[in-house]
């Protein structure tokens, strides 16, 4: 039965009952007696309440579907509306679920292409920084050294200062290139890359303590890259915004056979801050490998970033 006929028959039933009552025990005289007025008003109120209740029951599935549409988030897939009963609303709910599944698949595919292009661009920029800018600064260092060796004593100090400034710039260029293209991940694997990342972010005011469990399953390259980038983004957010002094970076085996990454700090926490570009990027990366990402307040304050992968992300031999 369509929604139109359902509502029509509900209202018709209430009106039919009212008419039958007028033909039966309920009568109206002219002029209207006080008792009859009370009966008519009470009957009207009863009809309105009955109509409101029946419409509420009939349209409840449509309200549930509306809430599902309002709260749908492609970065949090898997949520579906419950299909109840038959008819137009049930068909509409199934159509919405199908559409949502298709949108989630298309979003995941487009995110995979975008992130793949982003990694390729990072690789290209890192290579150019290393080959072009790095080599140029190295040549400048050599020229400054040669000039300092043959310069008068009064200019030698300034040339040495220029050397130190150039050397600091070269070190910064190399650091940026390492962040853009984690060569240690490709050469030595995820364990060494995470320890290197922890060492890089450990400064005088921030201590990063890595804990990598032994005997973890071997993961495919895409999963390792996602875990590394999520850890990198989590540590970057902590260093920039959290005001933390200690950060724990752990990688462990999950009960179901997957691998879990945890970045937990003792900073000021996330509060009610909205999701920024970094957090959205982490969610999109998690979708690529079917992992579950959660960002929430830690048990002892601060912020906790958790990424749990499934067992099917292990590399095939």
């Amino acid at each position: 039965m369509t929604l139109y006929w359902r509502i029509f028959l509900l209202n018709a039933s209430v009106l039919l009952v009212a008419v039958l009552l007028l033909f039966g025990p309920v009568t109206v005289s002219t002029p209207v007696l006080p008792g009859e007025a009370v009966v008519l008003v009470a009957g009207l109120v009863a009809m309105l309440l009955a109509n409101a209740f029946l419409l509420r029951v009939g349209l409840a599935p449509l309200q549930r579907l509306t809430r599902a549409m309002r709260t749908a988030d492609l970065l949090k897939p898997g949520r579906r509306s419950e299909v109840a009963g038959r008819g137009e609303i049930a068909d509409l709910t199934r159509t919405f679920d199908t559409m949502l599944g298709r949108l989630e698949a298309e979003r995941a595919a487009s995110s995979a292409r975008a992130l793949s292009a982003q990694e390729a661009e990072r690789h290209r920029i890192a290579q150019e920084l290393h080959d072009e800018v790095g080599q140029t600064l190295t040549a400048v260092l050599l020229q400054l050294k040669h000039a300092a060796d043959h310069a008068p004593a009064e200019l030698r100090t300034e040339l040495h200062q220029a050397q130190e400034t150039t050397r600091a710039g070269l070190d910064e260029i190399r650091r940026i290139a390492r962040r853009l293209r984690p060569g240690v991940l490709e050469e030595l694997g995820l364990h060494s890359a995470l320890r290197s990342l922890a060492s890089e972010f450990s400064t005088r005011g921030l201590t990063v303590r890595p804990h990598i469990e032994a005997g973890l399953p071997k993961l495919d390259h895409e999963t390792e890259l996602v875990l590394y980038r999520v850890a990198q983004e989590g540590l970057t957010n902590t260093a920039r915004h959290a005001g933390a002094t200690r950060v724990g970076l752990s990688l462990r085996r999950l009960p179901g056979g997957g691998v879990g990454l945890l970045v937990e700090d003792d900073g000021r926490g996330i509060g009610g801050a909205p999701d920024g570009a970094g957090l959205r990027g982490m969610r999109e990366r998690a979708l690529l490998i079917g992992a579950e990402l959660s960002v929430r307040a830690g048990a002892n304050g601060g912020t906790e970033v958790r990424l749990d992968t499934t067992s099917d992300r292990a590399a095939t031999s």
Side-chain angles (χ1 to χ4, degrees):
M1 185 180 298
T2 64
L3 182 62
Y4 167 80
W5 283 108
R6 193 176 306 161
I7 296 176
F8 173 79
L9 290 178
L10 288 175
N11 291 325
S13 300
V14 174
L15 294 176
L16 178 62
V17 170
V19 171
L20 292 177
L21 288 175
L22 289 176
F23 279 108
V26 179
T27 58
V28 180
S29 62
T30 303
V32 180
L33 299 176
E36 294 174 341
V38 171
V39 171
L40 288 176
V41 172
L44 177 61
V45 172
M47 286 192 297
L48 292 176
L49 291 177
N51 191 39
F53 173 75
L54 293 175
L55 285 177
R56 172 79 63 178
V57 172
L59 297 178
L62 192 58
Q63 294 174 344
R64 289 196 296 268
L65 180 60
T66 302
R67 287 194 298 268
M69 290 179 175
R70 189 179 296 117
T71 58
D73 187 353
L74 296 182
L75 291 179
K76 299 176 182 178
R79 299 180 180 180
R80 295 293 183 268
S81 302
E82 180 183 355
V83 179
R86 294 176 294 179
E88 286 179 326
I89 298 181
D91 291 340
L92 183 60
T93 304
R94 280 189 288 267
T95 303
F96 172 72
D97 289 344
T98 303
M99 180 193 69
L100 192 59
R102 185 170 61 251
L103 289 176
E104 289 173 354
E106 292 175 356
R107 173 63 182 267
S110 62
S111 296
R113 291 192 295 270
L115 291 175
S116 178
Q118 184 185 84
E119 289 295 335
E121 186 67 10
R122 286 186 174 191
H123 187 281
R124 184 189 67 79
I125 294 174
Q127 193 71 31
E128 290 186 0
L129 286 175
H130 181 272
D131 294 343
E132 303 295 336
V133 182
Q135 291 182 7
T136 300
L137 290 178
T138 301
V140 170
L141 274 176
L142 295 175
Q143 292 172 357
L144 288 172
K145 182 180 184 303
H146 182 268
D149 292 341
H150 297 85
E154 60 271 15
L155 295 178
R156 199 167 296 163
T157 301
E158 294 183 6
L159 288 172
H160 284 316
Q161 290 177 351
Q163 276 185 283
E164 292 304 317
T165 302
T166 306
R167 184 175 291 109
L170 181 59
D171 291 340
E172 182 66 14
I173 288 295
R174 288 171 176 169
R175 184 186 65 81
I176 294 174
R178 284 196 303 271
R179 286 195 178 184
L180 290 173
R181 177 177 176 263
V184 65
L185 177 63
E186 300 174 359
E187 298 167 5
L188 301 178
L190 181 62
H191 297 190
S192 299
L194 290 179
R195 288 193 171 91
S196 175
L197 197 62
S199 176
E200 180 181 343
F201 276 90
S202 292
T203 61
R204 183 171 299 179
L206 181 65
T207 302
V208 183
R209 297 178 179 175
H211 175 69
I212 314 296
E213 285 188 2
L216 293 176
K218 183 174 177 59
L219 303 172
D220 56 46
H221 175 71
E222 187 180 38
T223 302
E224 288 190 344
L225 183 59
V226 169
L227 288 167
Y228 179 85
R229 290 300 188 196
V230 169
Q232 185 182 49
E233 184 64 33
L235 290 175
T236 300
N237 289 339
T238 297
R240 290 179 179 175
H241 310 298
T245 58
R246 295 189 306 276
V247 185
L249 175 63
S250 63
L251 191 68
R252 69 200 187 285
R253 180 190 291 271
L254 298 177
V259 174
L261 173 75
L262 177 64
V263 181
E264 188 174 18
D265 63 58
D266 64 347
R268 63 177 63 96
I270 56 176
D275 291 357
L279 182 55
R280 288 195 299 270
M282 287 193 288
R283 294 193 187 281
E284 289 180 350
R285 290 184 182 278
L287 286 179
L288 293 181
I289 59 173
E292 181 179 351
L293 177 77
S294 64
V295 181
R296 59 190 179 188
N300 300 315
T303 304
E304 177 183 286
V305 178
R306 185 185 299 271
L307 179 70
D308 294 339
T309 68
T310 56
S311 59
D312 58 357
R313 301 307 301 183
T316 56
S317 57

